[in-house]
Amino acid sequence: MSGQLITLEGIDGSGKSTAVKHIALKLAELMPTRRLVLTAEPTTSGAGKILRTELARADAGETSVAQRMEELFLFMADHACHLTKTIIPSLEGGAIVLSDRYTDSTAAYQGVTLRNVLPDPVQWIRSLYEPWNLPPDRTLLFVLDPRIALQRMQSRRGREKFERFEFLQSVDENFRMLAALEPERFVLIDAGQPQETVAEDALSAILELLSRGPFRK
Ligand code: TYD
C-alpha cells in the first residue's frame, strides 16, 4: 500500500472537523498530484447510519449493558466496513487518507460507556481490534479542556448523546492514555489556540509525515 493513513481524534467540540477542511484545501494546493480521500467514522452507511440516528438522541438516558455492547459492536462493524470499502482501496491506490475519527474513538468513548461492566474496557477494545485493524501512520489528537469544548458546542443546534462534561472528561483521559501508549504514532495538537493556528499545527504534522515518503508495505 503506497498511501498514507492519517486519523484525527479528540473529544466532541475539539475542532477536528473545522481543521480537516483547512487541511484539505492546503494539501490540494501543495500537492496537486496526490489523491486526497476525506472520510469519517461513524460512516454514513450501514452500521454508521444506525449509529448516527442513535447518537442524535440527546435524551437517550441510561442505557442497559446490552445496549452499550450493541453500540460497541456497531462501531466495530462500521469500522470493518470502512476499512474494506474505503480505507484499504484508497491506500492501495496511493491516496492520502484523512479520517475524522477511527478506532481510537471507540477505545476512548466505549471505554467510558463500558467502564463499570469490564475491568479494563480500553485495553479490551484495543485487543479486539488488534488482530485485524490497520494502524494509522499518524494520529492527530486535538486536545481541549472539556469545559471549553462544551462552551463551543453550545452555539451549535441540538446536543448529541455524549456531549456532557463528566463523560467528555473521561473520554479525554482515555485519549491521553492511548497517546501515551503509542507516542510515535500520536501528535498532540493544542486545540485551545485560535482556529487557524490549530489547523496550521495539524497541517505541519501531516507535512512532516508526508516528507518521509512512502513506507507502507
Ligand atoms: P462525530 O460525528 O465525529 O461527532 P462530532 O463531529 O461532534 O465530533 O461522532 C459522533 C459521536 O460518536 C461522537 O460523540 C463520538 C462518538 N463515537 C464513539 O462513541 N465511538 C466511536 O467509535 C466513534 C467513531 C465515534
Side-chain angles (χ1 to χ4, degrees), residues 41 43 49 71 90 108 113 124 144 146 158 201 209:
E41 291 188 16
T43 67
K49 207 170 183 175
E71 183 182 78
S90 304
T113 63
W124 183 67
L144 184 65
D201 282 1
L209 168 77

Side-chain angles (χ1 to χ4, degrees), residues 11-13 16-17 41-42 52 55 71 75 100-102 105-106 109-110 129 153 156 160 162-163:
I11 57 172
D12 298 67
K16 294 173 285 93
S17 311
E41 291 188 16
R52 285 192 180 274
L55 291 166
E71 183 182 78
F75 275 116
D100 186 347
R101 299 196 182 282
Y102 199 70
S105 275
T106 320
Y109 281 79
Q110 279 59 55
Y129 275 122
M153 285 188 289
R156 283 195 205 164
E160 291 207 330
F162 294 138
E163 297 175 0

Side-chain angles (χ1 to χ4, degrees), residues 83-193:
L83 264 187
T84 317
K85 290 198 177 144
T86 308
I87 306 272
I88 292 175
S90 304
L91 291 173
E92 282 175 349
I96 300 169
V97 181
L98 290 187
S99 185
D100 186 347
R101 299 196 182 282
Y102 199 70
T103 53
D104 293 306
S105 275
T106 320
Y109 281 79
Q110 279 59 55
V112 180
T113 63
L114 296 172
R115 68 185 155 183
N116 297 321
V117 179
L118 299 157
D120 190 347
V122 174
Q123 289 304 344
W124 183 67
I125 294 166
R126 287 179 89 222
S127 70
L128 288 179
Y129 275 122
E130 207 272 328
W132 58 278
N133 192 27
L134 192 64
D137 295 301
R138 246 336 155 271
T139 296
L140 310 186
L141 177 59
F142 287 63
V143 182
L144 184 65
D145 182 332
R147 280 184 197 83
I148 300 174
L150 279 171
Q151 276 168 17
R152 283 187 185 175
M153 285 188 289
Q154 265 163 13
S155 55
R156 283 195 205 164
R157 207 157 49 87
R159 174 164 283 206
E160 291 207 330
K161 183 175 165 186
F162 294 138
E163 297 175 0
R164 287 174 289 115
F165 176 69
E166 295 76 20
F167 186 87
L168 288 184
Q169 196 174 33
S170 303
V171 174
D172 177 56
E173 282 165 18
N174 283 345
F175 271 132
R176 289 170 194 264
M177 180 173 78
L178 292 167
L181 288 172
E182 291 178 75
E184 65 296 338
R185 171 162 71 87
F186 278 86
V187 177
L188 269 56
I189 305 291
D190 174 2
Q193 308 175 94

Side-chain angles (χ1 to χ4, degrees), residues 189-204:
I189 305 291
D190 174 2
Q193 308 175 94
Q195 265 178 12
E196 307 79 63
T197 318
V198 173
E200 280 302 321
D201 282 1
L203 181 67
S204 305

